[in-house]
Amino acid sequence: MSGFVKNSMLGALAGGATALASFLSSIAVARALGVTETGSVAYIIWIVWMAAPFVDLGLSSAVGRFLPFLCGSGQHCVAEHLERNLAQRLAISAFAAAFCAIVLVWLVGDRSIAEFLSGGVVTGASMPLVVLTILLVVGQVLTTHSYARLRGRQEFGIAARIAGASLLLQVFAVIAGSLLFGTTGALAGYLAGMLLPSVVCLSTLYGPASIDRTLSRRVTSFALFCWGANVTSAFVWSRIELFFLERYWGMDSVAMFAVALALTQLAIQGPMLLTSAVLASLAEKRGRDDLDAMRKQFAGATRLLAALVFPVCFGTAAIIPELLPALYGGKFASAVPAAMVLVSVAALSVLSTVGTSLVQALERSDFIFASSLCGAACALAAGFLLIPEFGVMGAAFARVAIQILMIGLGCWFIVARLRCAFPMLAVLKLCLAALASAAAAFCCIRIIGHPSSIPLAIVVGGAVYLVGLRAVNAVEPDDTAFLTNLARSLPPALAEIATRLTNFVSATKRNEGMLLP
């Protein structure tokens, strides 16, 4: 198995464990606390996600970009010094932010801060809620940096083990905390899931951390642009809609939109997490100045990711009418329309992650910042104009429209400025096959009308997708070779099945068969 494939699979396991922890925690909170308190928990977690990029200073993006670049160019000692240097900067920023937050609480009062965090509904003592929120921001910053550093060092196996342990710790802590202490206990459970990666991050603080001025200026410039991009992107990607929903419609609407987003994240995490090794691989090729290999990998990764994410997202949207109430309960059934809209279009946002990795590998974080600024302005405008009038569905359609705009800008920049071809025809063929698959799954759901139809819908949808891939010749020859090599790395029983499926959907294999006498 190639290093890139192995790292991609381990990265997917690590990210999948993190995503699964978040998803299972959201179900536990919904079942234990009900609609309104679920909205309160989701609102505070959103505040944490919004605050974390401000504190991060773009340092996590820098460590994920420059560690593989330096290792790829043979500068391993410099890479070790740089990772300590960035970890020390991050620690200073995190603890300075925590100190400023404590001063703010002292000046304003913990009760007022708690009312803001909980949307005006404070249950129990206010100080634990405030303290937990501050600790969650610090923990989120350290956790993000820890995983970025491990990806940069291409230590995906360690990342997977840490994420797996954190999954168990978080889920059990959230369940116990929600049942025993309500909202505060649920938040403490989320914090428990951040302990291990935070400790790993802090363990890298000690040791030599000196780097030359040229590299320091280069890293700092990259980090600052990423910082601006991450902060502005938070308005587009980090659920800014929750703020407006809470202000205009209340915590119940926040809960509905949060549940819709949770299912969306579940649908996209599997395919998206396979891209966790893409940035490191592209940056390593950049360190060798192999631009042709970078362009080839961008096109191939985009095709393979589209082949996974389109059927997953469209298929999930098809079964949501039965899946969402079965997971969260009938009280959350009104979230179904928004969830279907968000999941359907989420496939495009996943595809954009490959392009983002390419742009970062080429150190064009300035474009990411500029496009994110545009998206943030649109998100704020939609929050004031659409959400007060249309509520949850207005938030869903606004999010979809803004993300499509951002993705369009990114594709234009990659093709027009970076001179990298986008595999449009292949992506359209994959989209067509996935739409046919989703239509078949939706028919099963509508005809049977019961949660028991979900397994049948998945099987029928999968079969229709494979036939669709074969019918439209969606699998490129290069992708066939990649999938064949990947199949050979599996255990024998699975390898045989995977090889037969690859041969079935591959136009290359069929053409070879037609040429045989």
Side-chain angles (χ1 to χ4, degrees), residues 298-381:
F298 163 72
T302 300
R303 292 193 303 269
L304 290 172
L305 189 60
L308 290 173
V309 74
F310 281 152
V312 169
C313 286
F314 296 163
T316 302
I319 65 175
I320 274 179
E322 296 296 338
L323 179 64
L324 192 150
L327 291 175
Y328 289 92
K331 294 180 180 179
F332 291 88
S334 59
V336 167
M340 293 181 71
V341 171
L342 291 171
V343 173
S344 297
V345 185
L348 298 178
S349 66
V350 177
L351 284 185
S352 70
T353 60
V354 180
T356 300
S357 296
L358 177 67
V359 173
Q360 288 184 336
L362 293 171
E363 297 184 45
R364 290 304 308 269
S365 54
D366 55 330
F367 168 76
I368 298 176
F369 170 66
S371 60
S372 298
L373 196 61
C374 174
C378 294
L380 291 175

Side-chain angles (χ1 to χ4, degrees), residues 35 252-253 255-257 260 324-325 329-339 392-393:
V35 176
D252 285 7
S253 291
M256 296 304 166
F257 194 74
L324 192 150
K331 294 180 180 179
F332 291 88
S334 59
V336 167
V392 173
M393 288 307 297

Side-chain angles (χ1 to χ4, degrees), residues 159-504:
R161 288 193 289 271
I162 294 174
S166 298
L167 160 66
L168 298 176
L169 188 60
Q170 176 176 318
V171 171
F172 286 114
V174 167
I175 293 173
S178 300
L179 293 174
L180 295 175
F181 303 106
T183 299
T184 304
L187 294 172
Y190 280 96
L191 182 62
M194 301 176 182
L195 288 177
L196 290 179
S198 296
V199 169
V200 171
C201 179
L202 293 175
S203 68
T204 63
L205 292 175
Y206 305 103
S210 59
I211 56 176
D212 64 76
R213 291 185 178 180
T214 301
L215 178 60
S216 178
R217 285 195 296 267
R218 186 176 170 186
V219 171
T220 301
S221 175
F222 180 86
L224 287 176
F225 276 116
C226 286
W227 182 36
N230 293 340
V231 168
T232 52
S233 291
F235 288 91
V236 182
W237 307 103
S238 295
R239 310 184 180 191
I240 186 64
E241 301 88 355
L242 297 183
F243 173 79
F244 294 100
L245 285 171
E246 190 278 325
R247 289 297 175 264
Y248 294 109
W249 291 83
M251 279 300 178
D252 285 7
S253 291
V254 170
M256 296 304 166
F257 194 74
V259 165
L261 286 175
L263 272 179
T264 301
Q265 292 299 313
L266 175 69
I268 67 175
Q269 283 303 320
M272 187 171 70
L273 293 169
L274 291 174
T275 68
S276 57
V278 171
L279 175 58
S281 179
L282 289 171
E284 186 178 13
K285 290 179 174 61
R286 177 59 172 164
R288 300 197 303 266
D289 202 26
D290 193 350
L291 298 180
D292 289 338
M294 293 179 70
R295 294 188 179 98
K296 183 177 180 180
Q297 183 173 351
F298 163 72
T302 300
R303 292 193 303 269
L304 290 172
L305 189 60
L308 290 173
V309 74
F310 281 152
V312 169
C313 286
F314 296 163
T316 302
I319 65 175
I320 274 179
E322 296 296 338
L323 179 64
L324 192 150
L327 291 175
Y328 289 92
K331 294 180 180 179
F332 291 88
S334 59
V336 167
M340 293 181 71
V341 171
L342 291 171
V343 173
S344 297
V345 185
L348 298 178
S349 66
V350 177
L351 284 185
S352 70
T353 60
V354 180
T356 300
S357 296
L358 177 67
V359 173
Q360 288 184 336
L362 293 171
E363 297 184 45
R364 290 304 308 269
S365 54
D366 55 330
F367 168 76
I368 298 176
F369 170 66
S371 60
S372 298
L373 196 61
C374 174
C378 294
L380 291 175
F384 286 112
L385 298 175
L386 294 179
I387 294 177
E389 182 70 23
F390 300 104
V392 173
M393 288 307 297
F397 280 111
R399 185 179 184 88
V400 165
I402 294 167
Q403 290 184 358
I404 289 175
L405 171 64
M406 298 276 289
I407 293 165
L409 288 174
C411 290
W412 167 82
F413 183 77
I414 289 171
V415 173
R417 299 299 184 187
L418 301 184
R419 306 298 180 187
C420 293
F422 185 83
M424 180 61 71
L425 181 59
V427 169
L428 289 176
K429 289 181 178 181
L430 293 166
C431 182
L432 182 62
L435 287 173
S437 166
F442 185 72
C443 288
C444 293
I445 293 293
R446 294 291 292 177
I447 293 172
I448 300 176
H450 188 271
S452 61
S453 62
I454 293 176
L456 176 63
I458 293 173
V459 172
V460 171
V464 171
Y465 182 60
L466 293 176
V467 173
L469 291 178
R470 180 184 176 93
V472 299
N473 293 332
V475 181
E476 300 282 330
D478 288 344
D479 300 334
T480 300
F482 176 84
L483 292 172
T484 300
N485 291 332
L486 179 61
R488 291 171 180 168
S489 66
L490 298 174
L494 294 177
E496 177 66 20
I497 297 173
T499 300
R500 288 180 178 274
L501 291 176
T502 300
N503 293 341
F504 176 78

Side-chain angles (χ1 to χ4, degrees), residues 11-176:
L13 289 175
T18 303
L20 185 60
S22 178
F23 179 69
L24 294 178
S25 298
S26 71
I27 295 177
V29 170
R31 291 288 186 176
L33 302 183
V35 176
T36 302
E37 288 194 74
T38 297
S40 296
V41 172
Y43 191 69
I44 294 173
I45 295 298
W46 166 75
I47 290 175
V48 171
W49 286 346
M50 287 293 293
F54 285 91
V55 181
D56 180 78
L57 301 180
L59 298 174
S60 296
S61 299
V63 76
R65 163 63 180 82
F66 282 94
L67 286 188
F69 172 83
L70 292 170
C71 293
S73 56
Q75 303 178 65
H76 297 280
C77 183
V78 177
E80 292 180 0
H81 282 231
L82 177 64
E83 70 175 77
R84 297 190 195 102
N85 183 286
L86 295 178
Q88 291 170 7
R89 295 192 208 180
L90 185 79
I92 293 172
S93 175
F95 292 113
F99 176 77
C100 291
I102 293 171
V103 172
L104 178 64
V105 172
W106 179 71
L107 293 174
V108 177
D110 60 281
R111 188 75 181 180
S112 299
I113 299 293
E115 288 179 354
F116 169 77
L117 293 174
S118 62
V121 182
V122 181
T123 57
S126 56
M127 184 56 77
L129 185 65
V130 174
V131 171
L132 275 172
T133 304
I134 295 173
L135 292 176
L136 281 167
V137 173
V138 174
Q140 180 65 38
V141 170
L142 297 179
T143 297
T144 300
H145 189 87
S146 183
Y147 285 125
R149 168 185 164 270
L150 290 172
R151 288 194 299 269
R153 291 176 61 89
Q154 303 198 42
E155 294 177 347
F156 292 93
I158 297 176
R161 288 193 289 271
I162 294 174
S166 298
L167 160 66
L168 298 176
L169 188 60
Q170 176 176 318
V171 171
F172 286 114
V174 167
I175 293 173

